[in-house]
């Protein structure tokens, strides 16, 4: 039986998709075979978790320099090669890889994965990291892990990881937009005069 990735609003509205830079609908399910492929390949990737985190972010900043500006710690670094030995980038890469590790371990508990990615999207609203950039991370992760997996990397493995990242970035986008709406509502209600105080 296919493992449906359930959760509210798996199919985002067109406007949300555009903001997230998603051109297609994310797949609505990961097959048991895809889950198996992700888990098997993760066992190899996790041996190199710190290195993958660094490669992924250096590549992200090379291919999409606009992403670097979002990071207070890295926005002024001109020489990206220096980042390969940066303790801060290593720590950040490890935080992101640890999120991927948690996602892999929740593939059989999709409601928990949904909550995790939703919360992450909310925190990215606070970091000022817009959804249109989210998709870049999955693409750079895939480029970083290919050489590590060597002949274990197949089109099926690639498809499985793409499906996982599509789901995660989609859910993160929902969390981001939810947080954005909440913060706009709070601003509006703060600006509105309190009727109880002005009635007299
Ligand atoms: C699939 C996409 C992404 C994943 C899985 C991800 C994951 C994470 C994680 C796990 C953290 C640690 C803090 C937390 O849990 O809230 C984090 C922090 C952060 N992320 Fe992301 N992220 C993604 C995309 C992006 C993008 C595209 C940007 C910027 C363009 C970004 C900017 C940031 C910033 C600024 C922080 C806070 C850094 C700090 O204060 O140390 N993220 N991210």
């Amino acid at each position: 039986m296919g493992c449906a990735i359930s959760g509210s609003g798996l199919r985002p509205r067109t406007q949300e998709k555009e903001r997230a830079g998603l051109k297609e609908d994310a797949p609505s399910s990961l097959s048991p075979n895809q889950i198996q492929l992700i888990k098997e390949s993760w066992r190899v990737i996790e041996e190199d978790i710190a290195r993958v985190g660094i490669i992924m972010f250096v590549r992200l900043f090379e291919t999409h320099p606009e992403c670097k500006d979002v990071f207070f710690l890295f926005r002024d670094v001109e020489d990206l090669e220096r980042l390969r030995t940066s303790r801060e980038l290593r720590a950040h890469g490890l935080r992101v890889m640890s999120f991927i590790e948690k996602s892999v371990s929740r593939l059989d508990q999709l409601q928990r994965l949904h909550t995790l990615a939703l919360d992450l999207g909310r925190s990215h609203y606070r970091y000022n990291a817009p959804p249109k950039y989210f998709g870049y991370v999955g693409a750079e992760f895939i480029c970083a892990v290919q050489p590590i997996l060597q002949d274990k990397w197949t089109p099926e493995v690639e498809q499985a990881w793409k499906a996982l990242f599509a789901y995660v970035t989609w859910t993160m986008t929902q969390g981001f937009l939810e947080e954005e709406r909440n913060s706009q509502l709070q601003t509006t209600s703060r600006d509105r005069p309190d009727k109880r105080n002005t009635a007299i």
Side-chain angles (χ1 to χ4, degrees):
M1 197 178 72
C3 170
I5 295 184
S6 59
S8 58
L10 196 62
R11 305 219 167 268
R13 284 172 290 193
T14 312
Q15 195 194 1
E16 294 179 2
K17 269 170 48 188
E18 278 169 8
R19 293 204 45 199
L22 297 169
K23 292 185 186 65
E24 296 163 13
D25 277 345
S28 56
S29 65
L30 279 172
S31 69
N33 186 44
Q34 283 182 316
I35 291 179
Q36 189 61 26
L37 290 173
I38 291 174
K39 286 182 174 173
E40 276 169 19
S41 48
W42 178 254
R43 265 180 241 129
V44 182
I45 297 164
E46 72 181 341
E47 301 283 312
D48 254 326
I49 196 166
R51 196 160 65 95
V52 172
I54 291 175
I55 295 173
M56 190 166 85
F57 273 94
V58 173
R59 281 191 56 99
L60 178 71
F61 296 156
E62 273 167 1
T63 53
H64 300 284
E66 65 277 23
C67 289
K68 191 161 65 86
D69 296 337
V70 179
F71 289 87
F72 178 72
L73 280 172
F74 311 125
R75 63 171 66 134
D76 295 325
V77 178
E78 299 286 348
D79 178 8
L80 291 180
E81 282 309 306
R82 264 185 47 212
L83 283 180
R84 291 190 195 276
T85 51
S86 147
R87 257 191 295 155
E88 287 83 7
L89 189 67
R90 183 189 158 92
H92 180 72
L94 277 172
R95 277 198 290 275
V96 175
M97 293 302 284
S98 136
F99 171 85
I100 297 171
E101 181 173 39
K102 282 188 201 149
S103 305
V104 173
S105 67
R106 280 165 176 68
L107 283 172
D108 301 313
Q109 303 159 283
L110 290 172
Q111 193 49 49
R112 288 185 67 207
L113 173 55
H114 182 78
T115 309
L116 189 74
L118 207 61
D119 284 347
L120 191 64
R122 288 193 190 108
S123 59
H124 279 68
Y125 174 74
R126 297 190 289 271
Y127 303 149
N128 275 322
K132 64 178 176 197
Y133 299 157
F134 293 170
Y136 303 157
V137 173
E140 298 309 341
F141 172 86
I142 284 173
C143 288
V145 300
Q146 266 180 24
I148 292 170
L149 281 158
Q150 295 178 11
D151 56 348
K152 293 196 184 79
W153 187 261
T154 62
E156 290 74 28
V157 173
E158 179 165 330
Q159 224 26 64
W161 278 103
K162 278 185 176 164
L164 175 58
F165 271 100
Y167 176 67
V168 164
T169 50
W170 210 351
T171 313
M172 282 176 70
T173 301
Q174 287 185 305
F176 180 100
L177 295 173
E178 213 177 278
E179 193 67 12
E180 184 180 55
R181 277 192 294 270
N182 286 345
S183 108
Q184 279 162 359
L185 277 176
Q186 275 170 17
T187 313
T188 318
S189 66
R190 255 203 315 270
D191 292 345
R192 198 183 301 143
D194 188 333
K195 289 202 177 75
R196 282 166 309 180
N197 293 337
T198 53
I200 303 170

